[in-house]
Amino acid sequence: MKRIGTYVGKQHGHPTGIVGRMVGERMIRQHVPETSWTISLLDLKMEDQVLEIGFGAGRAIELVATQIAQGHVSGIDLSQEMVRSASRRNAQAIKAGRVSLCQGDVTMLPFADNMFDKVFSIQTFYFWPDPQRAMAEIFRVLKAGGTLVVTLSTGSTRSIDDVGERWLRSYQTILEEQIIPGMKQLSFTTASIEQGPYSREFKTTAVVGMK
Ligand SMILES: C[S@@+](CC[C@H](N)C(=O)[O-])C[C@H]1O[C@@H](n2cnc3c(N)ncnc32)[C@H](O)[C@@H]1O
């Protein structure tokens, strides 16, 4: 049973093959509340240049693209399988040149400096190999005045004795003690922690910053 749990966990961090494809579609259904909340925090403008990191099966890319008719949505995800899924979901927008998706890692973004008005990421922070380096990369690609929103779960309604609950709660401390101070060192002009809606039993939190 534990081995199955570990396998499913791995599939969330790096979906592969047919199981990865199914996990990608399931995550779309599971992440509806935090996806719409994150997009609302972005305060999108028609001409925004937007980047999503870890887009999974590409539902947020699709939602953002419909809101910025004159803008552009870029996406990067570690998983080639998710690049395929999200590319299928956004085929028309890709053909029209309004969306472009690539495979890659948050710590090495293949984008020029000062390129994006908005950068966001939903339920991927746990898998970032080096969060401080990732934040520096995001800061580099954001335009001055640009906004960052990183959304994750920092708790659940399950008992405090539950290992998963304690693991999730530890992210609140990581955000407060490492990520927010790190963002201030990088010269983000604002850096705060916002509380969002519960998604299933999970407490939703976002780090919001402006360059
Ligand atoms: C839990 S899924 C969330 C997917 C999507 N954001 C959603 O809410 O449905 C995590 C995603 O982050 C991607 N990912 C994990 N590590 C990454 C990294 N270092 N750089 C970019 N993407 C990464 C995974 O491939 C996966 O698609």
Side-chain angles (χ1 to χ4, degrees), residues 5-15 23 27 31 53-56 77-79 104-107 121-131 134 150-153 167-168 171 174:
T6 309
Y7 175 69
V8 172
K10 275 197 184 144
Q11 283 288 356
H12 284 85
H14 191 167
V23 166
M27 287 191 291
H31 298 169
I53 296 163
F55 48 71
D77 195 292
L78 193 62
S79 157
D105 190 302
V106 62
T107 56
S121 192
I122 302 169
Q123 300 290 17
T124 75
F125 181 82
Y126 333 95
F127 311 111
W128 294 3
D130 182 345
V150 177
T151 301
L152 64 153
S153 300
W167 176 74
L168 282 180
Y171 280 98
I174 291 171

Side-chain angles (χ1 to χ4, degrees), residues 38-54:
T38 303
I39 293 173
S40 76
L41 292 177
L42 291 173
D43 188 22
L44 292 169
K45 304 283 183 279
M46 280 301 239
E47 294 175 0
D48 273 348
Q49 301 292 310
V50 181
L51 170 65
E52 181 178 10
I53 296 163

Side-chain angles (χ1 to χ4, degrees), residues 49 87 96-97 101 114:
Q49 301 292 310
S87 298
L101 305 176
N114 309 311

